[in-house]
Amino acid sequence: MLLLDLPLDTLSKSILAISTCIPTYLFLRYVIVAPYGKHSDRSSYSFGPLINAKLGWFVFESPNLILAAWSYLHRDEALFHHANAALLSMFCIHYINRSVIYPLCMSRSSRPVPLAVAVSGWSYCMVNGYLQGQSLCQKEVYPEKYIKSPRFLVGATIFIIGLAINLHSDGILRALKSGGGITSTNNTNAYRIPR
């Protein structure tokens, strides 16, 4: 049985979903550090074979786009209104950036990703893409006037500002990598803040 199919109200489903995040956070914060990016080193091999960073990023982010497209193609026409389309579009814009544009802009020297890390991200994105896509295309009914409501307008504004900050920050990080933000010590990359 899937989370969306449970006989719970939206608040209860949200609380249930958020409560599963707490043990995951605690485990990843205090028990194990995922060997990704600056945390990857020779011990990363214990997490499986290493794959190209661009491919890894695409693999673990792409289920969001694929499942959003699948949900859209199988949408319930009776409830899929303009607000649903706008929210699904924002979700897709974000994941086009994360799963297509960002990997294409990554440096060729980006550290490889352990397969277990890519599979973990893929698993999360499978659930996230399914829940978001199904919620917007099959379950939630947003009335036509919702798209003009203050809640929607404020949320869309926050989305646009967040997207701009995200794109700008990605550019800064790429510039740090290419402009001396990384130094080589003992044949390993070490992050530093340029002066």
Side-chain angles (χ1 to χ4, degrees):
M1 177 179 266
L2 297 171
L3 183 61
L4 285 175
D5 297 327
L6 291 175
L8 301 171
D9 62 16
T10 303
L11 178 61
S12 298
K13 288 179 186 178
S14 298
I15 290 170
L16 179 63
I18 291 170
S19 68
T20 62
C21 297
I22 295 168
T24 303
Y25 167 77
L26 293 173
F27 180 75
L28 292 174
R29 176 70 173 102
Y30 297 108
V31 178
I32 190 170
V33 175
Y36 182 77
K38 71 179 184 177
H39 299 293
S40 64
D41 56 20
R42 298 238 181 261
S43 67
S44 300
Y45 291 108
S46 63
F47 286 85
L50 299 176
I51 62 174
N52 177 280
K54 291 182 176 195
L55 175 64
W57 198 274
F58 175 77
V59 165
F60 69 71
E61 293 283 4
S62 62
N64 287 298
L65 273 181
I66 293 166
L67 290 169
W70 182 87
S71 296
Y72 176 76
L73 292 173
H74 296 89
R75 68 192 177 278
D76 182 344
E77 296 280 348
L79 67 83
F80 193 80
H81 299 300
H82 288 97
N84 295 69
L87 292 169
L88 185 65
S89 295
M90 286 187 258
F91 180 78
C92 289
I93 288 167
H94 172 72
Y95 280 104
I96 287 169
N97 179 49
R98 299 316 299 164
S99 65
V100 178
I101 296 170
Y102 183 78
L104 289 174
C105 293
M106 289 174 75
S107 167
R108 292 182 191 266
S109 65
S110 295
R111 292 181 184 183
V113 180
L115 184 60
V117 172
V119 169
S120 296
W122 179 86
S123 301
Y124 167 78
C125 289
M126 285 292 288
V127 173
N128 185 51
Y130 177 81
L131 291 176
Q132 298 292 336
Q134 288 297 292
S135 176
L136 292 170
C137 295
Q138 295 285 336
K139 304 288 182 184
E140 297 295 325
V141 179
Y142 292 95
E144 288 296 327
K145 63 183 177 181
Y146 181 76
I147 204 163
K148 295 178 183 174
S149 70
R151 180 189 298 186
F152 179 85
L153 296 173
V154 168
T157 302
I158 291 170
F159 169 79
I160 292 167
I161 291 168
L163 180 64
I165 291 169
N166 187 268
L167 293 171
H168 180 70
S169 298
D170 286 347
I172 290 171
L173 290 173
R174 278 192 302 278
L176 282 174
K177 263 191 162 179
S178 65
I182 295 182
T183 58
S184 183
T185 334
N186 299 334
N187 295 329
T188 62
N189 288 333
Y191 286 79
R192 71 171 176 81
I193 299 172
R195 295 181 191 261

